[in-house]
Amino acid sequence: GSAAAGGCLKTSPGVGCTVVDVAVEVPKEFFLEKDYLDHRYHVKRMAYLKVLQQHLEKAEWVASSVYSTHHADVRKPCLLVKAKKPGDVCLRVLLTIPVHAFPPARLHHEKANLRSLEIQDDERLPSPHYNHSIIEDMFMDEHIKYLRDAAEMAEYYEDACVLLKVWAAKRGILGAPDGFNGFVLSMILANLVCSGKLSPQMDAQQLVKGAL
């Protein structure tokens, strides 16, 4: 994540310390072909995270591990792990899945993958937010590569990301329900840089002004 490149906040909102994201990929073989339906993915994801937590708590260097929500999505918990060694860093363990775990076409925003939703005009309503919650985990590695490409193009990209996060945090919209999070802000800025809408030659303040 942004911590490796120096683009994270020293104190993350709601946590009180520097949070370093660590991705753990769940093997494709852990899932069945149609586990993208009816929250089956989220149930198995939770089971995997629970076993992972049990193993982490046996490690001598771990002081505590607690559940938290990722992007305020209660269906997708993560682990906040603190080490026994004194410090102001907390590891946030995020689960990902291979990009080929499920057919991306089945997770299109117009697809209906929740059979509990009502039927209108002989068709079941689509489940865009549900679908996105799965596909987000599938493409996490691709998104990280995209952010790295932006950082390589623009010298002050990471500095601009920090300023954007500070701007959002001071206005109470960083991590708030239906608000922005650091990842979204970084992706917006990366898109503006990689698409040529903002010049890679800009300094941090110019990048932030351009993004806003």
Side-chain angles (χ1 to χ4, degrees):
S2 57
C8 68
L9 295 178
K10 290 185 177 180
T11 302
S12 296
V15 181
C17 63
T18 301
V19 174
V20 178
D21 291 338
V22 177
V24 176
E25 185 175 274
V26 182
K28 178 184 177 181
E29 293 73 20
F30 187 68
F31 301 100
L32 297 178
E33 180 181 357
K34 294 188 176 181
D35 274 349
Y36 58 83
L37 294 171
D38 300 318
H39 290 105
R40 296 178 200 170
Y41 167 74
H42 297 92
V43 172
K44 286 193 172 182
R45 186 185 188 279
M46 181 64 205
Y48 194 95
L49 190 66
K50 180 63 178 178
V51 174
L52 182 60
Q53 183 189 32
Q54 292 173 349
H55 282 279
L56 281 172
E57 290 181 340
K58 295 178 183 178
E60 295 183 357
W61 61 271
V62 174
S64 65
S65 64
V66 297
Y67 289 110
S68 181
T69 56
H70 184 46
H71 295 171
D73 188 345
V74 296
R75 296 168 301 189
K76 294 170 56 177
C78 59
L79 287 177
L80 293 179
V81 182
K82 292 187 177 181
K84 292 179 180 178
K85 184 179 179 180
D88 58 353
V89 175
C90 178
L91 301 181
R92 178 165 52 195
V93 180
L94 305 173
L95 296 186
T96 69
I97 55 178
V99 70
H100 56 280
F102 303 114
R106 291 300 313 162
L107 295 168
H108 189 274
H109 67 274
E110 293 183 350
K111 294 292 184 179
N113 290 318
L114 292 175
R115 285 177 284 191
S116 60
L117 295 177
E118 63 179 303
I119 297 176
Q120 292 183 359
D121 299 326
D122 296 326
E123 290 189 2
R124 197 174 304 279
L125 292 176
S127 51
H129 295 290
Y130 171 83
N131 299 351
H132 176 265
S133 71
I134 300 176
I135 209 165
E136 179 184 43
D137 288 351
M138 287 175 55
F139 286 92
M140 185 177 292
D141 285 346
E142 297 297 320
H143 292 155
I144 294 301
K145 292 176 183 176
Y146 188 71
L147 296 179
R148 288 174 180 169
D149 288 343
E152 290 178 359
M153 289 180 61
E155 179 181 357
Y156 297 102
Y157 169 79
E158 293 292 353
D159 292 338
C161 285
V162 173
L163 292 177
L164 275 175
K165 293 171 186 178
V166 171
W167 173 86
K170 287 185 176 180
R171 286 157 180 78
I173 60 176
L174 187 64
D178 296 324
F180 288 104
N181 55 61
F183 173 75
V184 170
L185 290 173
S186 298
M187 283 295 287
I188 290 174
L189 185 58
N191 178 260
L192 292 172
V193 170
C194 293
S195 64
K197 294 180 179 178
L198 290 180
S199 172
Q201 306 303 320
M202 290 180 171
D203 61 27
Q205 290 187 344
Q206 289 173 327
L207 288 171
V208 171
K209 290 179 180 179
L212 296 177

